[in-house]
Amino acid sequence: MAEGPKTQMPARRKARKRALDVLYEADLRDLPPAQVLTTYLARLDRPLPEHIGYTTSLVEGVAANLDRIDELISSYAEGWTIDRMPTVDRNLARIAVQELLYVDEIDDAVAITEAVELAKQMSTDDSPRFLNGVLGRIAEYATR
């Protein structure tokens, strides 16, 4: 039983990375995330990895809640509009806010840490600090 959380974390991180890939492509191509998700899933080898279910729920959740998520990010990203943010950061923030607000089984600290870790790998040197600050403020708001 002790192995459960260890095996889930890498799977969830992979799921977040795949969700980022889909949301990034949808953002760049100005397409609905569900449409990009469908073509993304069609390109994957079968059987699909187990974490794809979480990827799908993240993408669908972000798509369903996009206006509210973007409104929060814009409100708490002091001095930044959603459109001025790097595409990677914007979509990492969207995934994390989806988890903060709508995924009860993910702790706020985990959602923030995961976004920051992916930003370290995939974005600018300033991105981890920026995301940590914005997401921390949103998490404070969400727990009120």
Side-chain angles (χ1 to χ4, degrees), residues 70-85:
D70 281 359
E71 176 188 319
L72 280 170
I73 295 168
S74 294
S75 296
Y76 287 91
E78 297 157 0
W80 285 86
T81 63
I82 198 94
D83 295 331
R84 273 192 55 221
M85 288 177 201

Side-chain angles (χ1 to χ4, degrees), residues 50-123:
E50 282 186 34
H51 63 265
I52 290 299
Y54 193 60
T55 298
T56 299
S57 71
L58 285 175
V59 171
E60 290 173 348
V62 168
N65 300 303
L66 188 60
D67 291 342
R68 178 76 179 124
I69 289 170
D70 281 359
E71 176 188 319
L72 280 170
I73 295 168
S74 294
S75 296
Y76 287 91
E78 297 157 0
W80 285 86
T81 63
I82 198 94
D83 295 331
R84 273 192 55 221
M85 288 177 201
T87 308
V88 170
D89 295 0
R90 176 172 54 237
N91 287 292
L92 283 172
R94 287 171 172 161
I95 292 166
V97 172
Q98 171 66 23
E99 289 184 319
L100 288 171
L101 297 183
Y102 304 106
V103 184
D104 292 338
E105 68 267 15
I106 301 293
D107 290 335
D108 290 358
V110 171
I112 294 168
T113 299
E114 288 294 315
V116 168
E117 287 302 313
L118 283 169
K120 285 178 185 174
Q121 296 170 24
M122 307 186 70
S123 198

